[in-house]
Protein backbone atom coordinates (compact mmCIF):
# COMPACT_ATOMS: atom_id res chain seq x y z
CA UNK A 1 0.00 0.00 0.00
CA UNK A 2 1.40 3.33 -1.04
CA UNK A 3 0.77 6.37 1.16
CA UNK A 4 1.19 9.74 -0.49
CA UNK A 5 -0.23 13.23 -0.32
CA UNK A 6 -2.84 12.07 -2.87
CA UNK A 7 -4.20 9.55 -0.35
CA UNK A 8 -4.03 12.07 2.46
CA UNK A 9 -5.96 14.68 0.48
CA UNK A 10 -8.54 12.10 -0.58
CA UNK A 11 -9.10 10.99 3.01
CA UNK A 12 -9.25 14.58 4.29
CA UNK A 13 -11.79 15.48 1.61
CA UNK A 14 -13.93 12.42 2.22
CA UNK A 15 -13.89 13.12 5.96
CA UNK A 16 -15.06 16.67 5.23
CA UNK A 17 -17.89 15.09 3.24
CA UNK A 18 -18.73 12.75 6.15
CA UNK A 19 -18.78 15.60 8.64
CA UNK A 20 -21.02 17.84 6.50
CA UNK A 21 -23.30 15.54 4.51
CA UNK A 22 -26.07 15.53 7.13
CA UNK A 23 -26.90 18.98 5.75
CA UNK A 24 -27.30 17.54 2.24
CA UNK A 25 -24.97 16.90 -0.66
CA UNK A 26 -21.59 18.62 -0.24
CA UNK A 27 -20.06 20.59 -3.08
CA UNK A 28 -16.44 20.26 -4.04
CA UNK A 29 -16.25 24.03 -3.89
CA UNK A 30 -17.17 23.93 -0.18
CA UNK A 31 -14.64 21.18 0.50
CA UNK A 32 -12.01 23.14 -1.42
CA UNK A 33 -12.65 26.24 0.66
CA UNK A 34 -12.66 24.41 4.01
CA UNK A 35 -9.65 22.17 3.29
CA UNK A 36 -7.51 24.48 1.15
CA UNK A 37 -7.29 21.96 -1.71
CA UNK A 38 -7.65 23.14 -5.29
CA UNK A 39 -10.99 22.47 -6.93
CA UNK A 40 -9.39 20.85 -9.98
CA UNK A 41 -7.46 18.41 -7.74
CA UNK A 42 -10.65 17.53 -5.86
CA UNK A 43 -12.40 16.89 -9.18
CA UNK A 44 -9.70 14.35 -10.07
CA UNK A 45 -9.91 12.64 -6.69
CA UNK A 46 -13.70 12.51 -6.64
CA UNK A 47 -13.82 11.15 -10.19
CA UNK A 48 -11.84 8.16 -8.92
CA UNK A 49 -13.95 7.87 -5.75
CA UNK A 50 -17.13 8.00 -7.84
CA UNK A 51 -15.82 5.44 -10.32
CA UNK A 52 -15.22 2.91 -7.52
CA UNK A 53 -18.61 3.62 -5.95
CA UNK A 54 -17.52 5.23 -2.68
CA UNK A 55 -19.28 8.52 -3.44
CA UNK A 56 -22.06 9.56 -5.75
CA UNK A 57 -22.77 12.85 -7.41
CA UNK A 58 -26.07 14.62 -6.94
CA UNK A 59 -27.12 16.90 -9.78
CA UNK A 60 -29.21 20.03 -9.73
CA UNK A 61 -29.87 22.66 -7.07
CA UNK A 62 -28.43 21.49 -3.78
CA UNK A 63 -26.20 19.10 -5.69
CA UNK A 64 -22.77 17.92 -4.76
CA UNK A 65 -21.46 14.63 -3.41
CA UNK A 66 -22.43 12.16 -0.72
CA UNK A 67 -21.29 8.73 0.39
CA UNK A 68 -22.97 5.79 -1.32
CA UNK A 69 -23.12 3.82 1.93
CA UNK A 70 -22.85 4.61 5.61
CA UNK A 71 -19.56 5.87 7.01
CA UNK A 72 -19.32 2.80 9.25
CA UNK A 73 -19.09 0.52 6.20
CA UNK A 74 -16.23 2.34 4.44
CA UNK A 75 -12.67 1.81 5.67
CA UNK A 76 -9.88 4.35 5.54
CA UNK A 77 -7.97 1.83 3.42
CA UNK A 78 -10.76 1.78 0.82
CA UNK A 79 -10.45 5.54 0.31
CA UNK A 80 -6.66 5.54 0.17
CA UNK A 81 -6.44 2.50 -2.12
CA UNK A 82 -8.94 4.05 -4.53
CA UNK A 83 -6.67 6.98 -5.31
CA UNK A 84 -3.32 5.22 -4.86
CA UNK A 85 -3.83 2.22 -7.19
CA UNK A 86 -2.26 3.86 -10.23
CA UNK A 87 0.69 5.09 -8.21
CA UNK A 88 1.31 1.58 -6.85
CA UNK A 89 1.70 0.16 -10.33
CA UNK A 90 4.34 2.78 -11.13
CA UNK A 91 6.15 2.13 -7.84
CA UNK A 92 6.25 -1.62 -8.52
CA UNK A 93 7.81 -1.03 -11.93
CA UNK A 94 10.39 1.38 -10.53
CA UNK A 95 13.33 -0.64 -9.22
CA UNK A 96 16.24 1.17 -7.60
CA UNK A 97 19.57 -0.58 -7.46
CA UNK A 98 20.31 -4.08 -8.63
CA UNK A 99 17.81 -6.91 -8.98
CA UNK A 100 19.46 -8.69 -6.02
CA UNK A 101 18.99 -5.62 -3.80
CA UNK A 102 15.36 -5.41 -4.84
CA UNK A 103 14.80 -9.07 -3.94
CA UNK A 104 16.43 -8.67 -0.53
CA UNK A 105 14.24 -5.77 0.56
CA UNK A 106 11.11 -6.39 -1.47
CA UNK A 107 9.65 -8.82 1.08
CA UNK A 108 10.22 -6.35 3.91
CA UNK A 109 8.42 -3.52 2.12
CA UNK A 110 5.70 -5.83 0.90
CA UNK A 111 5.04 -7.08 4.42
CA UNK A 112 5.04 -3.54 5.80
CA UNK A 113 2.57 -2.54 3.11
CA UNK A 114 0.29 -5.40 4.16
CA UNK A 115 0.49 -4.33 7.82
CA UNK A 116 -0.41 -0.75 6.95
CA UNK A 117 -3.34 -1.87 4.84
CA UNK A 118 -4.61 -4.19 7.58
CA UNK A 119 -4.38 -1.35 10.12
CA UNK A 120 -6.27 1.09 7.87
CA UNK A 121 -8.84 -1.60 6.98
CA UNK A 122 -9.72 -1.73 10.67
CA UNK A 123 -10.64 1.96 10.85
CA UNK A 124 -13.91 3.14 9.34
CA UNK A 125 -14.85 6.67 8.36
CA UNK A 126 -17.37 6.62 11.22
CA UNK A 127 -14.57 5.70 13.67
CA UNK A 128 -12.52 8.59 12.39
CA UNK A 129 -15.52 10.95 12.54
CA UNK A 130 -15.80 10.30 16.28
CA UNK A 131 -12.17 11.18 16.95
CA UNK A 132 -12.14 14.07 19.46
CA UNK A 133 -9.69 16.23 17.47
CA UNK A 134 -11.75 15.97 14.30
CA UNK A 135 -15.01 16.64 16.12
CA UNK A 136 -13.49 19.71 17.82
CA UNK A 137 -12.19 21.06 14.50
CA UNK A 138 -15.55 20.64 12.80
CA UNK A 139 -17.52 22.00 15.77
CA UNK A 140 -15.30 25.08 15.87
CA UNK A 141 -16.11 25.62 12.18
CA UNK A 142 -19.82 25.67 13.02
CA UNK A 143 -20.87 22.21 11.81
CA UNK A 144 -22.40 19.45 13.85
CA UNK A 145 -21.24 15.88 14.28
CA UNK A 146 -22.82 13.25 12.02
CA UNK A 147 -24.34 11.41 14.98
CA UNK A 148 -25.82 14.56 16.53
CA UNK A 149 -29.03 14.45 14.49
CA UNK A 150 -32.23 14.02 16.40
CA UNK A 151 -33.57 10.45 16.15
CA UNK A 152 -36.46 10.07 13.75
Amino acid sequence: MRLSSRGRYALTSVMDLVMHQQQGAVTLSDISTRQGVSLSYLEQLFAQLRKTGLVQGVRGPGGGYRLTTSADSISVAAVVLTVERGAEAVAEADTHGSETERCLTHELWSELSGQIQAFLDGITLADLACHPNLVAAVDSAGASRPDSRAPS
Side-chain angles (χ1 to χ4, degrees):
M1 172 175 235
R2 183 177 167 94
L3 297 173
S4 70
S5 59
R6 187 170 184 82
R8 190 185 75 200
Y9 285 128
L11 182 59
T12 299
S13 300
V14 169
M15 286 309 302
D16 186 282
L17 179 68
V18 168
M19 300 303 287
H20 293 94
Q21 73 176 356
Q22 72 274 9
Q23 300 156 352
V26 180
T27 67
L28 293 183
S29 177
D30 287 345
I31 294 172
S32 175
T33 300
R34 285 190 294 263
Q35 300 306 321
V37 179
S38 79
L39 184 57
S40 62
Y41 194 61
L42 286 176
E43 288 168 349
Q44 293 173 29
L45 294 175
F46 273 75
Q48 289 179 287
L49 294 166
R50 190 177 63 244
K51 191 175 189 180
T52 58
L54 292 177
V55 299
Q56 67 183 33
V58 177
R59 295 181 184 260
Y65 284 90
R66 63 178 174 218
L67 296 178
T68 56
T69 61
S70 65
D72 61 358
S73 65
I74 301 173
S75 72
V76 169
V79 175
V80 173
L81 284 172
T82 293
V83 299
E84 296 289 2
R85 280 197 165 86
E88 269 187 17
V90 171
E92 284 295 320
D94 185 21
T95 57
H96 298 285
S98 69
E99 187 62 29
T100 305
E101 181 181 308
R102 184 192 167 311
C103 291
L104 291 173
T105 60
H106 180 76
E107 281 301 312
L108 170 70
W109 300 123
S110 183
E111 189 175 322
L112 177 60
S113 177
Q115 294 290 325
I116 292 169
Q117 184 171 344
F119 175 73
L120 296 178
D121 267 334
I123 303 170
T124 67
L125 299 181
D127 295 335
L128 205 51
C130 293
H131 193 278
N133 291 340
L134 181 62
V135 171
V138 171
D139 286 346
S140 70
S144 59
R145 292 180 16 206
D147 60 344
S148 66
R149 290 183 276 172
S152 40

